[in-house]
């Protein structure tokens, strides 16, 4: 079984690894802030300059003194900062003022031939949100060639050390209805470029731009759009630029196609693996059928005392190791055998039950409790709870497990070992194939929204049908052998009688001596108090006081203590307290981003928090 689990673990591990490879995600240490959204609006002027507005929203997970922004001006004719504004959380907009004192609301500007660096001071704390807007005027961003005007610019540079989310860059030309406007964007291949020739505008969007990655915009448009631009180059540029971008676009589209084929390959491998594992599993179960037995006629209500102990009765009826209800039943049985005495007492203001040792114990759990819980060969349920709360070595659970072992061994003779292993294997098969179905359905989203929706619906249908089929097959595998089926049939009828005790006159079924033998089984099935209450109605208090000597003080002594609940609940509470386990467009129209670079100016711009 361990080998099978290891095999499924290996398969799922490989699937997860392949999924990460297909998605191409890189692992980075995250900063204590995120930026979302990130907006850049560029207004190109007729003389080739541009007014740039950058707006970014920081979301902080730690305290900071402020933020900074770098605007790269290499490759153009210079620039200047024209304004800084910010807003913290839902407060009002604050206009930054130049200063060197580091006070909130002030900023420092450092300028060179290569860059403009703005350091804005504003103390923020964990959970704060701050939207910052920078305005720049950049000179000479457009070049007018003989045959075309060109704007080639890394609008977002590689200087950001965190991922930018929900990025949108808008470039507005000084003229509308630019029929020969072409635009390409280089950056993440998941981005999209929208060329709006009617309004002379280009809009670039991408959900995430990774840290240290750029977004570069390359625009070509008629020279008449920037007719007064003094930045002129006396040569042709249009054809060379178009050919360069066509090459980059083909490369990007090829990468997209390769990635799509890889995703389809991954998806088809998953389907093949799913079908292969499913067929192989079916063939294995076909060659290894379960042992079949004739089932006895179901007994509706059984009234005879079972021929097995209360703990074994509960274990067989539920098909599991005995629980604390079963232990409570065994404690009542020990009291009936006079091995122990049970009596209601008060521990301070709390009502509890005292257990006193009368002689040699057949119950290993009680023997350990008498030795280490309480004193003078006695202990109370309250003392047991207290012991459990301070049981750093988990002794109670060890004692309980040791008590369960011989009962589990006795139950084994009623089980079919081959069928049990088959049921266990079937559970592993169900979990493994279910995980494979879920992973396959999830992988369909890598192929697009439409395929993802279809894959999810089909996967859900397959999963439901598979679980129904496996459930029916599982129920047809008997865990009991012929002996066990007969015994469980009797126990099931006996428990059903106890559950339906309100429909019978218990005095007509048998005398109180019989019911004294039955009460431990009722406790093992969690029905002791229900049965005791019915006996009080049918026999009357005088008969109970006279003939139900052992249990009368516990169930009817007037102390207000429901023993059937208190005994099992106290054992369960003590054991739980003791549990210490640790828990791209070639033509320049709208389309996707391209990879590579067209050599635009800038590229070192970025920012962060300090």
């Amino acid at each position: 079984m361990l080998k099978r689990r290891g095999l499924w673990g290996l398969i799922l591990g490989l699937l997860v690894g392949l999924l990460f490879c297909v998605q191409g995600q890189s692992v980075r240490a995250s900063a204590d802030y995120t930026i979302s959204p990130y907006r850049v609006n560029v207004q190109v002027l007729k003389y080739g300059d541009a007014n740039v507005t950058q707006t970014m929203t920081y979301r902080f997970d730690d305290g900071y003194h402020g933020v900074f922004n770098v605007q790269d001006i290499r490759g153009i004719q210079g620039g200047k900062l024209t304004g800084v504004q910010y807003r913290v959380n839902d407060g009002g907009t604050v206009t930054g003022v130049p200063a060197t004192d580091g006070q909130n609301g002030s900023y420092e500007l450092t300028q060179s031939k290569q860059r403009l660096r703005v350091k804005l001071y504003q103390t923020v704390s964990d959970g704060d949100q701050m939207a910052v807007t920078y305005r720049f005027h950049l000179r000479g961003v457009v070049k007018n060639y003989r045959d075309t005007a060109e704007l080639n610019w890394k609008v977002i540079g590689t200087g950001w050390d965190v991922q930018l989310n929900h990025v949108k860059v808008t470039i507005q030309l000084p003229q509308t209805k630019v029929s020969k406007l072409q635009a390409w964007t280089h950056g993440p291949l998941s981005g999209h470029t929208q060329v709006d020739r009617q309004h002379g505008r280009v809009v670039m969007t991408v959900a995430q731009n990774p840290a240290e990655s750029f977004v570069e915009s390359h625009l070509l448009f008629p020279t008449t759009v920037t007719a007064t631009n003094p930045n002129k180059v006396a040569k042709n540029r249009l054809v060379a630029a178009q050919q360069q971008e066509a090459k980059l676009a083909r490369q990007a589209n090829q990468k997209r196609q390769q990635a799509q084929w890889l995703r389809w390959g991954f998806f088809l491998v998953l389907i093949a693996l799913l079908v292969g594992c499913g067929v192989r599993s079916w063939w294995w179960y076909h060659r290894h059928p379960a042992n079949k037995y004739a089932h006895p006629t179901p007994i509706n209500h059984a009234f005879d005392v079972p021929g097995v102990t209360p703990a074994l009765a509960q274990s067989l009826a539920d098909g599991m190791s005995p629980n604390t209800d079963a232990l409570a039943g065994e404690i009542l049985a020990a009291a009936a055998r006079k091995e122990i005495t049970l009596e209601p007492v008060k521990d301070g203001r709390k009502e509890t039950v005292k257990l006193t040792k009368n002689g040699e114990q057949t119950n290993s759990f009680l023997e350990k409790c008498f030795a280490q819980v309480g004193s003078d060969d006695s202990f109370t349920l309250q003392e047991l709870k207290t012991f459990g709360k301070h049981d750093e070595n988990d002794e109670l659970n060890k004692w309980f497990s040791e008590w369960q072992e011989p009962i589990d061994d006795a139950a084994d003779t009623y089980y079919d070992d081959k069928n049990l292993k088959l049921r266990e294997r079937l559970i592993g098969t169900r979990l493994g194939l279910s995980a494979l179905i879920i992973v396959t359905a999830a992988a369909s989203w890598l192929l697009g929204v439409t395929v993802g929706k279809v894959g999810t619906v089909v996967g859900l249908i397959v999963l439901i049908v598979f679980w129904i089929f496996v459930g029916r097959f599982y129920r047809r595998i008997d865990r009991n052998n012929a002996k066990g089926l007969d015994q469980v049939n009797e126990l099931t009828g006996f428990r059903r009688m106890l559950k339906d005790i309100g429909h019978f006159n218990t005095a007509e079924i048998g005398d109180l001596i019989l019911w004294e033998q039955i009460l431990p089984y009722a406790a093992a099935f969690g029905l002791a108090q229900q049965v005791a209450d019915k006996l009080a109605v049918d026999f009357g208090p005088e008969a109970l006081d006279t003939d139900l000597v052992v249990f009368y003080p516990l169930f009817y002594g007037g102390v207000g203590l429901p023993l059937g609940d208190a005994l099992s609940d106290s054992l369960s509470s003590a054991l739980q307290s003791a549990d210490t386990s640790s828990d791209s467009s070639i033509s320049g129209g709208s389309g996707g981003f391209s990879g590579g670079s067209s050599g635009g100016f800038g590229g070192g711009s970025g920012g962060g928090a300090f």
Side-chain angles (χ1 to χ4, degrees):
M1 192 62 199
L2 290 176
K3 291 182 178 180
R4 281 185 52 78
R5 289 175 179 170
L7 176 61
W8 281 113
L10 177 61
I11 291 175
L12 293 178
L14 289 173
L15 293 177
V16 173
L18 283 172
L19 187 60
F20 275 104
C21 289
V22 169
Q23 290 179 325
Q25 298 291 334
S26 59
V27 179
R28 289 183 176 272
S30 59
D32 291 328
Y33 63 90
T34 57
I35 298 178
S36 178
Y38 182 92
R39 300 284 186 261
V40 180
N41 288 287
V42 180
Q43 181 71 48
V44 179
L45 305 175
K46 277 189 171 295
Y47 49 91
D49 290 359
N51 290 326
V52 180
T53 303
Q54 297 180 19
T55 301
M56 58 210 72
T57 301
Y58 292 80
R59 303 170 193 274
F60 298 98
D61 295 325
D62 201 352
Y64 284 90
H65 298 295
V67 296
F68 68 92
N69 187 29
V70 178
Q71 176 61 55
D72 199 315
I73 54 176
R74 289 174 295 178
I76 60 175
Q77 297 172 358
K80 64 179 180 179
L81 176 70
T82 59
V84 179
Q85 290 182 318
Y86 68 93
R87 185 182 71 255
V88 178
N89 298 324
D90 295 326
T93 299
V94 178
T95 300
V97 294
T100 58
D101 55 9
Q103 296 297 311
N104 285 344
S106 66
Y107 67 85
E108 293 181 16
L109 174 64
T110 305
Q111 184 168 354
S112 67
K113 293 182 179 180
Q114 296 183 334
R115 66 180 187 175
L116 300 169
R117 189 176 192 273
V118 188
K119 194 173 184 180
L120 173 65
Y121 292 92
Q122 174 60 53
T123 302
V124 292
S125 304
D126 181 11
D128 281 345
Q129 176 178 309
M130 183 165 69
V132 186
T133 299
Y134 302 93
R135 291 183 172 84
F136 300 94
H137 179 83
L138 304 183
R139 296 191 296 273
V141 299
V142 177
K143 288 184 179 180
N144 276 27
Y145 294 87
R146 289 173 178 170
D147 54 357
T148 187
E150 180 183 52
L151 171 61
N152 197 5
W153 178 18
K154 287 186 176 68
V155 184
I156 300 175
T158 58
W160 291 99
D161 57 2
V162 296
Q163 176 176 276
L164 304 178
N165 301 289
H166 302 292
V167 175
K168 182 178 180 181
V169 178
T170 303
I171 299 179
Q172 177 65 57
L173 297 180
Q175 175 182 317
T176 59
K177 298 181 181 179
V178 185
S179 60
K180 294 184 179 181
L181 171 62
Q182 294 178 289
W184 299 266
T185 307
H186 308 284
L189 296 183
S190 58
H192 180 76
T193 303
Q194 179 67 41
V195 178
D196 184 354
R197 297 184 175 91
Q198 180 68 23
H199 297 93
R201 181 186 305 141
V202 177
V203 179
M204 295 147 279
T205 55
V206 62
Q208 292 95 25
N209 186 58
E212 301 175 4
S213 300
F214 64 81
V215 173
E216 181 180 62
S217 179
H218 190 188
L219 275 65
L220 298 176
F221 48 88
T223 57
T224 55
V225 176
T226 52
T228 60
N229 183 14
N231 188 12
K232 298 180 179 180
V233 180
K235 65 177 184 180
N236 292 330
R237 170 65 177 158
L238 181 62
V239 174
Q242 290 172 333
Q243 291 175 346
Q244 177 192 22
E245 290 297 346
K247 180 180 179 180
L248 291 172
R250 281 191 292 267
Q251 291 173 348
N253 289 336
Q254 185 178 15
K255 288 182 179 180
R256 286 193 183 89
Q257 188 177 44
Q258 290 173 348
Q260 186 71 352
W261 280 115
L262 183 60
R263 288 190 286 267
W264 269 107
F266 174 67
F267 182 65
L268 294 176
V269 167
L270 285 177
I271 292 179
L273 186 61
L274 178 59
V275 172
C277 290
V279 171
R280 181 182 180 278
S281 297
W282 173 85
W283 180 243
W284 191 93
Y285 289 110
H286 179 72
R287 294 180 59 192
H288 300 82
N291 293 328
K292 296 184 179 298
Y293 301 95
H295 285 223
T297 303
I299 300 175
N300 190 27
H301 293 108
F303 298 93
D304 295 331
V305 178
V308 296
T309 64
L312 184 55
Q314 182 269 321
S315 176
L316 291 175
D318 291 335
M320 58 186 290
S321 294
N323 57 21
T324 53
D325 284 341
L327 180 55
E330 289 294 333
I331 291 175
L332 291 185
R337 295 192 301 267
K338 305 296 193 286
E339 293 179 8
I340 63 173
T341 299
L342 300 175
E343 58 180 322
V345 296
K346 282 196 174 184
D347 185 351
R349 296 183 178 180
K350 296 182 178 179
E351 295 175 341
T352 185
V353 176
K354 182 179 180 180
L355 295 82
T356 303
K357 179 180 179 181
N358 294 331
E360 186 177 350
Q361 299 295 302
T362 58
N363 188 308
S364 64
F365 182 84
L366 286 179
E367 184 66 36
K368 298 288 178 55
C369 288
F370 283 126
Q372 300 188 45
V373 181
S375 60
D376 298 328
D377 287 337
S378 67
F379 67 92
T380 66
L381 296 182
Q382 187 60 40
E383 289 175 332
L384 186 64
K385 287 184 180 181
T386 302
F387 182 87
K389 291 179 180 179
H390 300 89
D391 186 16
E392 297 180 355
N393 295 324
D394 203 21
E395 293 293 334
L396 275 183
N397 280 298
K398 292 177 183 177
W399 302 344
F400 186 72
S401 297
E402 291 171 358
W403 170 78
Q404 287 177 312
E405 287 177 5
I407 301 171
D408 288 337
D409 292 340
D412 286 343
T413 61
Y414 296 88
Y415 291 122
D416 184 304
D417 187 59
K418 175 187 175 182
N419 283 10
L420 286 179
K421 292 180 179 178
L422 198 61
R423 286 164 71 102
E424 185 178 2
R425 183 186 181 101
L426 188 60
I427 292 174
T429 301
R430 180 173 64 179
L431 292 176
L433 287 178
S434 296
L436 200 52
I437 293 171
I438 294 171
V439 171
T440 303
S444 67
W445 287 92
L446 298 174
L447 306 175
V449 175
T450 301
V451 179
K453 290 180 179 178
V454 173
T456 301
V457 172
V458 173
L460 184 61
I461 294 173
V462 171
L463 188 63
I464 293 173
V465 172
F466 173 66
W467 272 67
I468 293 174
F469 173 79
V470 171
R472 290 179 177 177
F473 182 41
Y474 182 86
R475 288 190 293 272
R476 287 200 292 264
I477 302 176
D478 293 317
R479 64 170 173 249
N480 298 106
N481 53 29
K483 175 184 175 183
L485 287 171
D486 289 334
Q487 184 64 70
V488 170
N489 187 39
E490 294 176 6
L491 292 172
T492 302
F494 183 74
R495 179 162 62 179
R496 189 179 296 112
M497 180 272 294
L498 296 177
K499 287 183 177 180
D500 297 339
I501 196 72
H503 302 302
F504 306 106
N505 187 333
T506 57
E508 296 177 356
I509 295 174
D511 56 26
L512 284 173
I513 295 177
L514 172 66
W515 286 103
E516 190 175 61
Q517 299 174 40
I518 290 177
L519 271 173
Y521 292 91
F525 292 132
L527 301 168
Q529 198 62 44
Q530 176 179 328
V531 173
D533 291 342
K534 180 59 175 172
L535 294 178
V537 173
D538 294 344
F539 284 93
E542 293 183 1
L544 293 172
D545 189 16
T546 302
D547 297 328
L548 202 65
V549 179
V550 175
F551 298 136
Y552 182 83
L554 300 171
F555 289 100
Y556 314 106
V559 295
L561 180 68
L563 180 75
D565 297 329
L567 190 56
S568 177
D569 290 348
S570 296
L571 293 168
S572 178
S573 176
L575 290 168
Q576 289 174 1
S577 297
D579 188 0
T580 58
S581 59
S582 297
D583 314 4
S584 304
S585 170
I586 292 177
S587 65
S590 301
F593 286 13
S594 300
S597 171
S598 54
F601 73 84
S605 58
F610 62 89

